[in-house]
Amino acid sequence: MKPHTYLLPTTLLTALLVCSCAPEPPGSYSFTRVPGQVPQTLPQDEQAELLQEVVTVPYDGSNPLLIPNKNAPGYTNPYPAGSYEHFVAKPAYPKTSAVFCNEPLLQSANTENTRIVICLPQQRARMYVNGRVAYDWPVSTGTDGHETPPGAYRILDRETNHKSNRYGKFVNASGRVVSSNADTSKGTPSGLTFRPAGMPHWNRLTPDGVGIHGGKVVPGRRLSHGCIRTPYDVAAKLFNYTKRGMAVYVTSGVEDYAKGGAVRPQDVKYRPKAGNDYTDY
């Protein structure tokens, strides 16, 4: 059972940390209740019961990105309305199309005081400026076989109207789309023409084609060939504040909000799967 596994719908019962538990006769347990945690020693059905009850325990607020059981009966958002913490503590978060923007903070972004964190398990991106979230938006990252690689990056290049060298559409002589998911790595079929996919407001992260750009986003769903798709309007606005050299972390865990978006080293190591292919070349 892995520590630091976060409370997402498919991994709810794995997100359990060890609580103090002295040896007891079979069927008897003693433990200290901690918000969002239950003892691993309990059978799974009892663990599930406790997880449903956790909402009644005051949450200490150390990382509002990880508040558990927000859809449980009786849940009340514990943060002041209008605050970023209130935004992420809403039951719909992170699977929501809603965007948070702190405009004055965003305008102070520069290469030295800013980091962007792409949180793969939550399919959200968060821009931290001086340790506080200035922008939070939904993303759609790479699908199986095209997984977006976790890692610590810097923006290498920026283009307003970037186009893919590999993905797009095949059209026939009359202009009709024959394939809307064309891949030129295997060549262009005879009689067809390739129209490259647009990647507006492009921020390149890797030499081989991973970047942040405007595109179709479905909250909570991975859709891309490896890039970090961002809603078109958000990508356009974000482009005004990104710069070459700005730090970007693509993480397989959830960052530490209390530490200004700090990520753990093990969450930004890329372990490629066989056949992984995300390049746009």
Side-chain angles (χ1 to χ4, degrees), residues 147 149 153 156 162 164-167 199 202 204-211 225-227 270 272 276-281:
E147 293 87 353
Y153 305 99
L156 301 178
H162 180 69
S164 175
N165 294 313
R166 175 170 175 179
Y167 298 111
M199 298 178 171
W202 164 256
R204 179 181 292 277
L205 302 184
T206 72
D208 51 1
V210 176
H225 290 103
C227 284
Y270 177 45
N276 182 287
D277 186 359
Y278 50 80
T279 177
D280 69 348
Y281 286 101

Side-chain angles (χ1 to χ4, degrees), residues 8-252:
L8 298 172
T10 57
T11 58
L12 186 61
L13 290 180
T14 63
L16 311 174
L17 303 178
V18 177
C19 297
S20 59
C21 185
E24 299 272 347
S28 176
Y29 305 93
S30 66
F31 59 93
T32 302
R33 283 290 288 278
V34 179
Q37 304 174 13
V38 297
Q40 292 180 342
T41 52
L42 291 181
Q44 283 199 351
D45 58 341
E46 293 185 47
Q47 291 176 357
E49 284 185 29
L50 286 174
L51 283 170
Q52 293 304 311
E53 296 171 6
V54 155
V55 71
T56 64
V57 180
Y59 180 68
D60 66 8
S62 61
N63 194 347
L65 300 175
L66 291 174
I67 293 181
N69 301 310
K70 293 187 290 186
N71 292 305
Y75 171 76
T76 301
N77 193 319
Y79 297 101
S83 66
Y84 176 68
E85 291 82 1
H86 188 274
F87 176 79
V88 300
K90 293 178 180 179
Y93 189 91
K95 292 184 178 181
T96 173
S97 59
V99 173
F100 176 87
C101 181
N102 181 329
E103 193 74 45
L105 186 59
L106 186 62
Q107 291 180 5
S108 65
N110 59 53
T111 304
E112 289 70 36
N113 68 1
T114 301
R115 63 167 55 199
I116 297 173
V117 178
I118 311 299
C119 181
L120 295 176
Q122 293 186 329
Q123 290 292 286
R124 300 292 299 191
R126 293 178 276 263
M127 187 178 198
Y128 290 81
V129 179
N130 290 322
R132 297 166 55 204
V133 174
Y135 218 180
D136 179 321
W137 67 94
V139 297
S140 286
T141 62
T143 57
D144 291 346
H146 302 276
E147 293 87 353
T148 302
Y153 305 99
R154 289 192 180 276
I155 294 174
L156 301 178
D157 197 9
R158 302 166 70 251
E159 285 184 58
T160 303
N161 295 304
H162 180 69
K163 295 185 183 298
S164 175
N165 294 313
R166 175 170 175 179
Y167 298 111
K169 300 176 182 179
F170 287 141
V171 299
N172 61 19
S174 62
R176 184 174 66 86
V177 175
V178 175
S179 173
S180 60
N181 192 27
D183 181 349
T184 60
S185 65
K186 299 176 182 178
T188 300
S190 177
L192 299 183
T193 301
F194 174 67
R195 287 184 182 172
M199 298 178 171
H201 301 107
W202 164 256
N203 293 275
R204 179 181 292 277
L205 302 184
T206 72
D208 51 1
V210 176
I212 304 169
H213 66 81
K216 177 184 177 181
V217 172
V218 176
R221 286 186 58 190
R222 297 180 297 139
L223 297 173
S224 80
H225 290 103
C227 284
I228 298 108
R229 289 191 192 173
T230 290
Y232 289 105
D233 57 339
V234 175
K237 183 168 185 172
L238 179 70
F239 196 76
N240 293 324
Y241 301 101
T242 58
K243 297 174 175 59
R244 284 190 180 186
M246 187 170 281
V248 178
Y249 297 86
V250 179
T251 172
S252 58

Side-chain angles (χ1 to χ4, degrees), residues 261-276:
V263 297
R264 301 183 308 161
Q266 59 265 42
D267 290 335
V268 294
K269 289 182 179 178
Y270 177 45
R271 297 177 178 83
K273 295 181 180 179
N276 182 287

